């Protein structure tokens, strides 16, 4: 720009000289007077030209070009080594001063942002490095962004390669490939890894997508947690329960058997009947709890004996009502059903179903206040046989409705707490038949538990 | 009176079954051991056999198959009653034997067992 201005000024000067020359020649006709006048004119105009040129450049052009160079330098280096020199016309000085201020503020803001990013990065790295799990972050092309020491050792990572090629430990590479293959935002799986002399370990692997909005890029985080100890503990807990309850079965059968015989042989009295009913009820309840523990494990491992046959659902309901009526009556609780025996049939395992319905009624009686009602029913709808048990208890909060069907969860106070397997078993029984269980409940308005069993025939199973 | 032959090594359970079914009108004979049970059954000539699965000297599956080798025993119904932890394929193994009528656990209600016995051999 300065060069262009220089040329323009020179052209202006030259044109004015030429015009002056032409006008002088016109007026003075190339006489001596002409040359003297023209020379004097040149001598006067030339310094003036030089002075004006110098002033224009020093007041405007040079400071402006200096500011431009300074700003270019700032963008190139990403920092300002020293403020721009403030010189030139007042307007130019003000302009350069503003430019200096803008660049300083931008530099400070950048510095602040970078420090913030470095801080957050350090915090995140510290957290990731300190956790006992193997953790890694990968970009949208599966390139490794970050991984902690645990991940590096466990997976024998080669950081130069993307996932899953970078995983050097063979027991993990296939499973990680499988987890990466899905498009889900999050995915989890368990891996059983034979690590040679380190033994067999079980890991829980979870993948979760994340996005960097500013870069419009996606990546994912992978966490690998060693759950071997938790699994062993769970298995040991199950084994312990199983061992205890298995050995309890035979003596309990003996107690029941002799009670039955005693009941038959003893002369009938009102008190005697009442005592025997309480003994029968408690022993059946204990037997049921033992069977729940044993069956839960067998059902869960799909090793249970399922005896499928055509059963009468209403007959099951009647049997369960008969079982629970003596104890319910003691609290004036009315257990009833309008289900008629002999009209319906369902292809299912009778003993498992009866156990499930009995568990539901046991809970219903437990939670229904005295003088309340527990209603059982059965209907067929949309290809399912549906058992329903309604109580007048306190109801179940929304956030607990799925939790209550988990093993060892007992939505109950300490006094009434059982093993916490009843509802978990009900769910397994429903699922093993290809059905489901659900609860409809409102706080203060009681609950209705529903077991759905597919209404199938022997032929089409 | 119908005869039931009981082959089991659990003393309490054996005694309980003996007392219960005796009290409701059956004659119950107890095998001295799993090993001698088949030979003893030929003498007893029962109408029904209760058979345990796990016994220290001979297993239930060996006994049930051995009974089929004798003309007079192969048609005698056997109810297998086990107290041990078992898997679904064990039931299938026993149910495949021609003389096995039921496969039950020792946790079964006696009244249910009584009905099954009545359905098979009457009283």
């Amino acid at each position: 720009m300065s060069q262009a201005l220089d040329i323009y000024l020179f052209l202006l000067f030259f044109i004015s000289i030429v015009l002056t020359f032409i006008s002088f020649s016109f007026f003075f006709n190339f006489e001596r007077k002409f040359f003297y006048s023209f020379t004097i004119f040149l001598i006067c105009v030339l310094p003036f030209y030089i002075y004006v040129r110098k002033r224009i450049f020093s007041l405007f052009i040079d400071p402006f070009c200096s500011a431009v160079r300074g700003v270019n330098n700032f963008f190139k280096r990403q920092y300002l080594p020293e403020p721009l020199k403030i010189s030139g016309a007042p307007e130019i000085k003000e302009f350069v001063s503003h430019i200096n201020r803008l660049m300083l503020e931008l530099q400070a803001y950048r510095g602040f942002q970078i420090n913030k990013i470095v801080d957050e990065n350090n915090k995140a790295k510290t957290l990731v490095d300190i956790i006992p799990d193997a953790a890694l972050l990968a970009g949208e092309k599966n390139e490794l962004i970050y991984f902690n020491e645990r991940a590096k050792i466990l997976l024998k990572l080669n950081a130069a390669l993307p996932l899953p090629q970078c995983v050097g430990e063979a027991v993990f590479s296939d499973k990680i490939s499988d987890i990466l293959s899905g498009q889900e935002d999050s995915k989890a799986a368990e891996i059983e890894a034979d690590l040679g002399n380190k033994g067999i370990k079980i890991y829980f692997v979870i993948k979760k997508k994340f996005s960097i909005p500013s870069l419009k890029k996606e990546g994912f985080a992978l966490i690998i947690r060693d759950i071997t100890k938790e699994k062993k503990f769970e298995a040991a807990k199950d084994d312990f329960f199983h061992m205890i309850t298995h050995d309890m079965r035979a003596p309990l059968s003996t107690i029941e058997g002799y009670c039955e015989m005693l009941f038959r042989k003893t002369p009938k009295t009102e008190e005697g009947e009442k005592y025997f009913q309480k003994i029968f009820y408690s022993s059946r309840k204990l037997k049921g709890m033992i069977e729940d523990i044993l069956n839960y494990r067998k059902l869960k491992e799909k090793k249970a004996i399922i005896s499928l046959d055509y059963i009468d659902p209403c007959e099951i309901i009647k049997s369960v009502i008969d079982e629970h009526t003596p104890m319910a009556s003691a609290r004036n609780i009315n257990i009833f059903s309008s289900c008629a025996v002999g009209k319906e049939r369902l292809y299912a395992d009778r003993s498992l179903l009866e156990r499930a319905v009995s568990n539901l009624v046991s809970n219903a009686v437990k939670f229904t206040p005295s003088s309340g009602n527990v209603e059982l029913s059965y209907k067929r709808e949309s290809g399912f046989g549906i058992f329903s048990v309604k109580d007048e208890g306190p109801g179940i909060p929304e956030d607990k409705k799925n939790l209550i069907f988990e093993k060892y969860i007992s939505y109950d106070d300490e006094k009434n707490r059982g093993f916490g397997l009843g509802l978990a078993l009900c769910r397994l029984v429903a699922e093993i038949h290809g059905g489901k269980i659900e609860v409809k409940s409102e706080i203060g308005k009681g609950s209705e538990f529903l077991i759905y069993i597919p209404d199938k025939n022997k032929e089409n199973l | 009176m119908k005869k039931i032959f009981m082959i089991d090594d659990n003393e309490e359970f054996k005694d309980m079954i003996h007392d219960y079914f005796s009290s409701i009108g059956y004659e119950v004979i107890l095998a001295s051991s799993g090993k001698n049970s088949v030979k003893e059954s030929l003498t007893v000539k029962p109408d029904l056999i209760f058979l345990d699965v796990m016994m220290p000297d001979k297993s239930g599956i060996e006994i049930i198959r051995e009974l089929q080798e004798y003309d007079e025993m192969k048609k005698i119904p056997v109810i297998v009653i086990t107290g041990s932890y078992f898997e679904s394929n064990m039931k299938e193994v026993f149910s495949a034997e021609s003389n096995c009528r039921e496969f039950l656990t020792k946790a079964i209600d006696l009244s249910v067992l009584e009905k099954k016995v009545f359905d098979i051999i009457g009283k």
Side-chain angles (χ1 to χ4, degrees), chain A residues 246 253 258 264 287 305 307, chain B residues 19-20 83 86 91 106-107:
Chain A
H246 175 257
S253 291
Y258 281 110
R264 289 184 191 197
K287 190 160 77 175
I305 293 177
S307 301
Chain B
D19 293 343
Y20 183 87
F86 55 87
K91 182 185 178 186
K106 282 181 179 164

Side-chain angles (χ1 to χ4, degrees), chain A residues 242 246 249-250 253-254 256-258 260-261 264-265 284 287 291 297-298 301-305 307, chain B residues 10 12-13 15-16 19-20 23-24 83-88 91 103 105-110 114:
Chain A
H242 182 265
H246 175 257
R249 272 162 123 201
S253 291
T254 309
E256 249 194 341
Y258 281 110
E260 183 71 38
M261 282 186 265
R264 289 184 191 197
K265 288 186 181 304
R284 274 189 209 124
K287 190 160 77 175
E291 290 305 310
R297 189 184 195 182
K298 283 191 273 181
E301 294 175 1
K302 298 184 176 26
K303 289 177 182 172
I305 293 177
S307 301
Chain B
N10 186 300
E12 290 91 5
F13 187 73
D15 290 343
M16 193 261 295
D19 293 343
Y20 183 87
S23 72
I24 56 170
S84 52
Y85 178 67
F86 55 87
E87 298 178 0
S88 53
K91 182 185 178 186
F103 188 92
T105 75
K106 282 181 179 164
I108 189 169
D109 274 346
L110 287 176
E114 181 188 334

Side-chain angles (χ1 to χ4, degrees), chain A residues 398-407 409-410 427:
Chain A
E398 194 62 41
D399 60 338
K400 298 272 190 288
K401 280 183 183 170
N402 285 328
L403 206 61
I404 55 172
F405 294 110
E406 296 296 323
K407 195 169 74 159
I409 299 290
S410 189
R427 182 169 75 174

Side-chain angles (χ1 to χ4, degrees), chain B residues 7 15 27-28 34 44 72 76 79 82-83 95 104:
Chain B
I7 309 172
D15 290 343
E27 185 184 351
V28 184
V44 167
E72 59 271 53
I76 306 295
I79 292 180
T82 181
S95 300
L104 306 168

Side-chain angles (χ1 to χ4, degrees), chain A residues 83-99:
Chain A
L84 302 172
K85 188 177 161 192
I86 298 175
S87 59
E91 293 82 359
I92 294 292
K93 279 183 184 171
E94 197 180 340
F95 172 71
V96 172
S97 173
H98 288 322
I99 294 287

